[in-house]
Amino acid sequence: MTSLHADLTARRGEFALDVRFDVPAGSVLAVLGPNGSGKSTLLGCLAGLHLPDRGTITLRGRTLTSAPRVHVPPHARSVGLLAQDALLFPHLSVLDNVAFSPRARGASKAAAREVALRWLTEVDAVGLAGRRPGQLSGGQAQRVAVARALAGDPALLLLDEPLAALDVDAAPAVRGLLRRVLGAREPERATVLVTHDPLDALALADHVVVLARGRVVERGPTRQVLGAPRNPFTARIAGLNLVPGTATADGLRTRGGGHVSGLPAPDVVPGEPAVAVFAPGAVAVHPAGAPPKGSPRNTVGAVVGGLEPHGAVVRLRAVDGEDWAEGVTADLTPSAVAELGLEPGTPVRLAVKATAVAIHPAPSQ
C-alpha cells in the first residue's frame, strides 16, 4: 500500500524540479544526487515549506498539496524532520524537547512526558533527560533529535543528511540506532532519507531514487541500484567505475571509438545506450612500457592523477587517459605503489579482465 505519493514540478529561478515517486507504507526511500540536483527543494515541498508550481502530494490518502490551490501548512502535515543539526531548543531540558511534539498535538504535559521518556529509552538516552542541549555531545544531541522526531508519531519522517555533522565515532552508533528504530517498522509510516553516503542508503533504505538536474535518473531497490549503477554520480558514490557508450554483442563501444569487453546483462540491447561498470579492485596497474600479465581484454594507457589512502589500500585516479581511462580509479596495496614507483604524473597502463566488467543499459533520461 502506498503511503506517500509525490508528482510535482517546482521552479527556483533557472532550476526546475520535476519528479514522481511513491513510498510504500512502512518503507524507507533514499534520495541521492549531487549538489544542485534538487534534493533540498524536494524535501521543502514534502515538508510544506515550498509550494510547487504544479502537482500533488498525498500522504495516507490525504492531499497535502494540490498546486496551486491546496497547500496544507507544515505544522498540520504530520511530518517529522531530522536534519544534520539537532536543532534542539536550548532553553528546554532534553525531556521537554522530546515532549514538545506530543504537546503541540494537544497531549497533556504528563502524557507528553510519558511519550518522551518512552522514546528516550528507545534511543538509549533516558539518562540525559534532565540535561540541557548545551551539555550534550554531537552524538547525544542527535539521539535526542531522533526521539523528538518520532515522539510526534509522524505519518512521514524526513531525514535530511542526519549523520553528516557527526564525527567518525558518533556516526556509526547513530546509524545503528536509526537502523533499529526504522527497522521496527511503523506499518503506516513513510520515511524519506536524503544522503550522500551510500552506507546510509544501504543500511537504512529499501529503495533509492537518484536525482540529476531536477529529474529522477535511476530508481529501484537500494542494493540493486548501488550494485549496478547506470549513472556516473551513482557509480561514484557506490565506489565503482562507469564508462558510457553503446552496447555491442560482447561489451561496449565507447564514445571515443574504443571498445570495452564485458558481460552484458540480459536486458542489454546492442546498438542502444549502455554503461560498463567495474570495481576499482578489478583494475590492474602496470608500467607504461610493460605488457600486462595474463590476457586481459581491456587495456589502456593513462597517467596517474592522484593517490589517496582508501582504507587498507591506496586509490589511484587516472587522468590524461586514452579513450575510456580518464577518471578511472584503481585500488592498490601500499607495497604495489612503492614497487611501481607511482606518483602523480607517472605514465601507466591499466588492465581490466572482461569477466570483471558488467554491461548494463543506460537510463533512458
Side-chain angles (χ1 to χ4, degrees), residues 17-268:
L17 175 72
D18 188 357
V19 298
R20 184 186 188 281
F21 61 86
D22 296 312
V23 184
S27 69
V28 180
L29 173 74
V31 179
L32 305 175
N35 291 334
S37 62
K39 302 186 302 297
S40 296
T41 300
L42 173 59
L43 275 190
C45 290
L46 295 176
L49 302 174
H50 302 317
L51 175 63
D53 297 89
R54 178 209 60 81
T56 60
I57 299 172
T58 61
L59 182 62
R60 296 184 183 176
R62 176 189 176 211
T63 299
L64 300 183
T65 297
S66 182
R69 294 185 176 142
V70 178
H71 184 66
V72 175
H75 68 272
R77 290 191 165 219
S78 188
V79 174
L81 174 64
L82 180 65
Q84 292 184 28
D85 298 318
L87 301 176
L88 302 176
F89 299 119
H91 62 291
L92 296 179
S93 68
V94 162
L95 180 63
D96 287 332
N97 261 282
V98 179
F100 181 85
S101 290
R103 283 285 282 164
R105 298 182 65 191
S108 67
K109 185 175 182 178
R113 286 191 164 191
E114 182 178 344
V115 171
L117 283 171
R118 176 167 61 84
W119 276 108
L120 285 172
T121 300
E122 186 69 26
V123 302
D124 300 322
V126 70
L128 307 175
R131 297 189 191 181
R132 293 292 177 90
Q135 299 173 298
L136 305 178
S137 68
Q140 290 172 333
Q142 199 67 330
R143 285 177 178 272
V144 174
V146 172
R148 185 177 66 176
L150 293 171
D153 191 25
L156 172 62
L157 180 62
L158 303 178
L159 306 177
D160 185 9
E161 297 277 7
L163 307 177
L166 300 180
D167 60 37
V168 293
D169 295 321
V174 176
R175 184 183 294 111
L177 162 67
L178 285 170
R179 183 167 57 245
R180 178 164 55 82
V181 297
L182 295 177
R185 305 290 192 197
E186 162 59 47
E188 300 296 324
R189 178 181 298 133
T191 301
V192 176
L193 163 71
V194 166
T195 181
H196 281 91
D197 191 334
L199 182 57
D200 293 346
L202 287 167
L204 303 174
D206 305 290
H207 293 81
V208 61
V209 298
V210 181
L211 296 182
R213 297 183 297 277
R215 283 164 174 72
V216 176
V217 295
E218 288 199 68
R219 71 175 77 211
T222 304
R223 293 187 181 276
Q224 177 180 312
V225 170
L226 294 180
R230 307 183 185 194
N231 174 273
F233 173 79
T234 317
R236 189 163 63 251
I237 64 170
L240 298 172
N241 291 302
L242 181 146
V243 178
T246 303
T248 65
D250 63 347
L252 179 103
R253 185 173 66 254
T254 69
R255 292 174 179 174
H259 189 268
V260 176
S261 296
L263 304 176
D267 52 347
V268 167

